[in-house]
Amino acid sequence: MSWIKEDELNLLEKISANVLKAGPMPKHVAFIMDGNRRFARKKHMERQEGHMQGFNKLAETLRWCKHLNIQEVTVYAFSIENFKRTKDEVDGLMELAKQKFLKLLDERDNLEKHGVCVRVLGDLEMLPLDLQELIAKAVITTKSHNKCFLNVCFAYTSRYEITNAVREMAWGVEKGLIRASDVSEALLSECLYSSNSPNPDLLIRTSGEVRLSDFLLWQTSHSCLVFQSVLWPEYSFWNLCEAILQYQLNYKSIQKARDLHQEHQALLQLEADRACVAEHLQHHGNGKPADAQRRQEALLHYTTCREERIQDFLEALKHKRDSYFSDLCSKDVLA
């Protein structure tokens, strides 16, 4: 099945979509696509066929999101914990992923037509090299597209992502790009795999499980969480509409929580900057207290320098991550 389905909505779906779009719509939706194996057992089919049906449902769901003007979708495709499954199942999932990324590369013209940018988030070095190379090609091929975004979390858990972000900041301090005092909640967010994306507005989990299973824990602290009992391969347009309606009913409280958090973050950063400036003035002020104007000038100077340091660090981090993909593509060309 294609990554992008061209089918239009039927009349009733179009009417319902237009009614929903009259209210606040999520711009970014995340899915925990759970229930493929249970679906296979229910239908007395091979487990691998259940996973195949799950991918087909993803393609269909992306079509619905496109018609609902949802610009970004993030999916939990393969957890690091999934490596603990049987070797046959893991090998089957790796083979399915290879097939689907090959299909994606075959459809590059269609992806360009729709402006789909594909990103793959996770520790890809855990994957077979040939799959890494296919992923790198897909990412580089679509990186300039900017109409809609598909983030595929593969070899991913949120705790691993957060740990990796801490390592990246430690690397920045070690290289002298940033100072230990520059480390903050906001900077950690910029070091996550998902740093190019806004946080999800809505997270949906299927199959009746009511847990996040280590998925986007940091990013969904102010998202609407919807748990639905339907198995992922049986997901329908109406299930998606129901989840969006839940988001709309909770929209005001979600926005208020986000705004308050943003204000709190800005206040914490200001307090941290003032503390650094006060310490600097104390050490370089010959014991004399600085007047208000000097403190304000020092604060402005310090803030500007900190922001420049962080920008340089983030550019170096981006270059490091981009090099991983370009090096993989170079290896494939040489091979």
Side-chain angles (χ1 to χ4, degrees), residues 116-292:
V116 181
C117 174
V118 177
R119 304 180 184 126
V120 184
L121 315 180
D123 187 351
L124 304 185
E125 292 184 348
M126 294 183 179
L127 304 175
L129 182 58
D130 54 350
L131 178 53
Q132 291 184 51
E133 289 169 351
L134 284 173
I135 288 171
K137 277 186 182 177
V139 169
I140 288 177
T141 299
T142 65
K143 68 181 294 185
S144 63
H145 304 169
N146 58 10
K147 290 181 183 175
C148 50
F149 302 88
L150 172 62
N151 306 309
V152 181
C153 292
F154 211 101
Y156 172 95
T157 65
S158 188
R159 285 176 294 181
Y160 191 95
E161 178 185 31
I162 294 167
T163 303
N164 184 70
V166 173
R167 286 197 198 102
E168 300 289 24
M169 291 188 293
W171 170 79
V173 173
E174 183 184 340
K175 294 292 184 182
L177 297 169
I178 54 173
R179 300 174 184 174
S181 59
D182 295 333
V183 173
S184 66
E185 181 181 332
L187 182 58
L188 192 149
S189 294
E190 293 287 345
C191 294
L192 296 173
Y193 297 135
S194 62
S195 59
N196 290 320
S197 302
N199 290 337
D201 301 299
L202 170 63
L203 183 145
I204 298 168
R205 178 168 188 157
T206 58
S207 88
E209 296 288 346
V210 188
R211 53 196 170 90
L212 294 180
S213 294
D214 213 349
F215 180 55
L216 301 180
L217 301 180
W218 184 276
Q219 296 91 332
T220 56
S221 57
H222 299 103
S223 303
C224 179
L225 310 181
V226 176
F227 300 96
Q228 298 176 301
S229 59
V230 61
L231 300 177
W232 174 250
E234 297 176 322
Y235 203 70
S236 73
F237 176 78
W238 305 111
N239 294 132
L240 180 56
C241 289
E242 177 195 8
I244 292 171
L245 186 58
Q246 285 293 319
Y247 168 77
Q248 292 179 337
L249 291 171
N250 291 280
Y251 175 76
K252 286 185 179 179
S253 60
I254 291 168
Q255 285 303 117
K256 183 178 179 181
R258 284 184 168 182
D259 291 344
L260 288 172
H261 178 70
Q262 196 169 1
E263 290 172 12
H264 182 61
Q265 265 198 316
L267 183 60
L268 287 177
Q269 186 62 67
L270 180 59
E271 290 174 353
D273 287 351
R274 282 175 172 164
C276 288
V277 167
E279 184 179 357
H280 175 80
L281 291 175
Q282 186 176 3
H283 282 94
H284 297 84
N286 299 320
K288 297 178 181 178
D291 59 31

Side-chain angles (χ1 to χ4, degrees), residues 17-18 21 25-28 63-72:
N18 287 333
K21 286 190 283 189
M25 290 294 291
K27 294 181 177 63
H28 182 184
R63 175 176 69 92
W64 300 331
C65 289
K66 176 176 172 286
H67 286 296
L68 288 165
N69 297 336
I70 295 168
Q71 298 164 335
E72 187 152 0

